Amino acid sequence: MSISGQITKIRQDLPERVKLVCVSKFHPDEAILEAYESGERVFGESKVQELTGKHERLPKDIEWHFIGHLQTNKVKFLVPFVSLIHGVDSLKLLNEIDKQAKKADKTVSCLLQVHIAEESTKFGFSPSEMKDIFKEGRLKEFENIRLLGLMGMATFTDNTEQVRKEFRTLKTLLTDIQSDFSMEYPCFGEISMGMSDDYKIAIEEGSTLVRIGSTIFGHRNYGSFE
Ligand SMILES: *Cc1c(COP(=O)(O)O)cnc(C)c1O
């Protein structure tokens, strides 16, 4: 099926509250333009260099989301134009984003990544670390960061009950933080979870942002940008 055909199909599954992030990493500009022509404006990338190049070449009303693992030395390249950084996984990284945002006289929107999967390879804070960071007020110093919510990736498995349980852990954590810190973080309500294989479960469990790549654009050719 064509890119626009796949998007139409996916959009039928999405309730009003859920935003679609078209994950275009490793796909060429033409593929993004096809999605753009069918009305999509939010695209997700996971490599800084690939993202900055696409941002320069493609229409300026695209909202670019960074969904990969971000290294502190690359933050400065994203800050001028990025709309949302999904996977912030350390205080050190928050500190650098805040510093670069101050320099650029901007406020940068971020989601905090929580480790919900069984695999140890996935990045993020543990749920208890996350709660401690809020309790200890460690996020207050970052004046140029707008914290919008949480992001997580479920275990790569066919066991849908496990995936559901992990998404539920993330949603519960969000609800706990919202009820304890609504005064300090009134905008904290987004929950980025769900990819091609598990977005329907993620939506049932309260996702507000789904990050979908291969279902829209097909398989990625990892050679093309490396
Ligand atoms: C690549 C990627 C996606 C998209 O994955 P698909 O399975 O192709 O939909 C979503 N989220 C993150 C963090 C990714 O790196």
Side-chain angles (χ1 to χ4, degrees), residues 5-20:
Q6 290 294 358
I7 289 171
T8 306
K9 220 172 99 199
I10 290 167
R11 284 221 163 266
Q12 286 163 356
D13 296 328
L14 302 187
E16 196 91 45
R17 69 176 157 85
V18 182
K19 199 167 189 177
L20 173 61

Side-chain angles (χ1 to χ4, degrees), residues 23 25 46 67 151 153 195-197 211-214 220:
V23 176
K25 62 185 187 196
S46 62
I67 63 166
M151 177 264 199
M153 289 167 87
M195 311 177 21
S196 288
D197 290 337
R211 311 176 308 267
I212 303 182
S214 42
R220 290 179 280 272

Side-chain angles (χ1 to χ4, degrees), residues 113-114 116-117 122 151-155 166-167 170 195 211:
Q113 184 166 0
V114 183
I116 51 172
K122 286 179 182 157
M151 177 264 199
M153 289 167 87
T155 305
E166 292 171 358
F167 285 151
L170 194 57
M195 311 177 21
R211 311 176 308 267

Side-chain angles (χ1 to χ4, degrees), residues 47-82:
K47 296 267 187 285
V48 172
Q49 203 180 348
E50 186 181 342
L51 173 51
T52 53
K54 285 174 172 174
H55 166 253
E56 275 165 29
R57 296 187 302 269
L58 289 163
K60 290 298 168 273
D61 61 340
I62 288 180
E63 209 184 282
W64 292 105
H65 289 200
F66 188 79
I67 63 166
H69 181 64
L70 183 55
Q71 290 167 294
T72 48
N73 61 340
K74 301 212 171 138
V75 169
K76 57 179 177 289
F77 302 115
L78 290 187
V79 161
F81 69 90
V82 76

Side-chain angles (χ1 to χ4, degrees), residues 104-121:
D105 198 20
K106 298 193 76 133
T107 301
V108 175
S109 297
C110 294
L111 303 176
L112 300 169
Q113 184 166 0
V114 183
H115 187 277
I116 51 172
E118 255 183 8
E119 298 114 313
S120 58
T121 50

